[in-house]
Each structure stands twice: as C-alpha cells, then as structure tokens.
Amino acid sequence: MGKTIKTIGCDILSLSRFYKILKSYDEYVLGYLFTVNEFKAAKASCDSKLFLAICFSGKEAVSKALGHGMSGRSWNEIEIFPGKDGSAKVRINQETRVAELNCFWELSWDLKDNFIYVLVNIYSRRLSRMSLIELHILLVAVI
C-alpha cells in the first residue's frame, strides 16, 4: 500500500541549554513535560539526559507536524521513545489519536555538535484498506 506525506515537523534543540533547564527543575515540575513512562525509560537508558532531550525535541516536532504546536495541548499527550539507531516510537493519547486515525508516523533523530535534530513525517493512509494489524500499529503509533 502506498503512502503519501501529509505533513512534516522538525525541531533543533541545544543540549547545553536543555541540560540547564533540567538542572533548574525537580521531577515534579518536569512531570508536566514528560510522562511516567518516559522517566522510567530515561532512567533505564545509558544517558538519561540525552534521552529526555530527544523526547522533548520529538514532542516539539510532532506538535509542529500536527499544525498547532503545543498551544492548548498537554506535553503528556505525546510520548516519545528514542531508539539507538536514530529512530523513535511515538505514542499519542486517545483524544489526539482520534483526529489522526488516517495517519501514521515516522520520527528520526540525530545528534551533532551539541544539538539534537528531529524530523517527523506524517503519512496519509486510507483506513478502509488497512488490515487489523496495521490498524493496531497505527493506534499505538509504532514506527
């Protein structure tokens, strides 16, 4: 089945600036930006600060791809789980997901010169042609 790019979103994040922000706030305040699952995965990763930086930048890129930024939206509606290969899994909560059912996501990231670069592609698909397995993958937004 073919895919058509519906929209893209990108973000660039300075690690040094982000790390200063992480030092400035406790986990309670950072809980407004990151989900419990993201915190758990970050703590289990080999570099928790880098993991959270990719999550933050990924959320920015996803929100830009959706066309509205984070305005009127909770940061916890979007979960990002970076892979070591420059890919990432994206999970969107149920309310946001309903509006995006005809789409699937690809998120890639790279690290260079103290910056995280994230690119999100949102592809259109015809729901009527999807198999149950493809629908399940879409609903959990697995890349």
Side-chain angles (χ1 to χ4, degrees):
M1 182 177 357
K3 57 185 181 181
T4 304
I5 293 179
K6 182 176 179 181
T7 185
I8 63 169
C10 62
D11 193 61
I12 300 171
L13 178 66
S14 164
L15 288 178
S16 57
R17 185 173 179 208
F18 181 76
Y19 292 165
K20 286 179 187 175
I21 291 169
L22 281 182
K23 285 182 183 180
S24 300
Y25 298 100
D26 62 16
E27 196 166 307
Y28 176 79
V29 174
L30 293 173
Y32 288 103
L33 298 176
F34 305 105
T35 66
V36 171
N37 292 331
E38 288 169 326
F39 276 126
K40 286 179 184 177
K43 288 177 183 175
S45 73
C46 60
D47 187 341
S48 60
K49 292 190 303 185
L50 177 61
F51 187 98
L52 290 175
I54 296 166
C55 291
F56 182 84
S57 191
K59 291 177 186 215
E60 284 277 354
V62 167
S63 71
K64 291 172 185 175
L66 290 172
H68 47 64
M70 294 307 291
S71 176
R73 180 172 303 280
S74 166
W75 286 85
N76 288 323
E77 289 182 36
I78 303 167
E79 283 187 313
I80 307 292
F81 295 97
K84 294 179 182 176
D85 62 352
S87 67
K89 293 180 182 179
V90 178
R91 284 194 204 138
I92 308 291
N93 82 1
Q94 193 65 34
E95 291 174 16
T96 302
R97 200 179 292 149
V98 168
E100 299 301 325
L101 277 178
N102 290 325
C103 303
F104 71 99
W105 310 76
E106 287 180 350
L107 188 149
S108 58
W109 63 272
D110 197 9
L111 172 64
K112 186 174 180 177
D113 299 329
N114 196 45
F115 288 90
I116 295 288
Y117 301 86
V118 175
L119 177 65
V120 172
N121 294 322
I122 300 179
Y123 295 95
S124 296
R125 266 192 172 166
R126 297 200 54 176
L127 207 73
S128 60
R129 294 186 179 183
M130 286 200 282
S131 70
L132 290 175
I133 292 172
E134 289 174 318
L135 181 58
H136 174 73
I137 289 170
L138 174 65
L139 289 176
V140 293
V142 174
I143 296 174

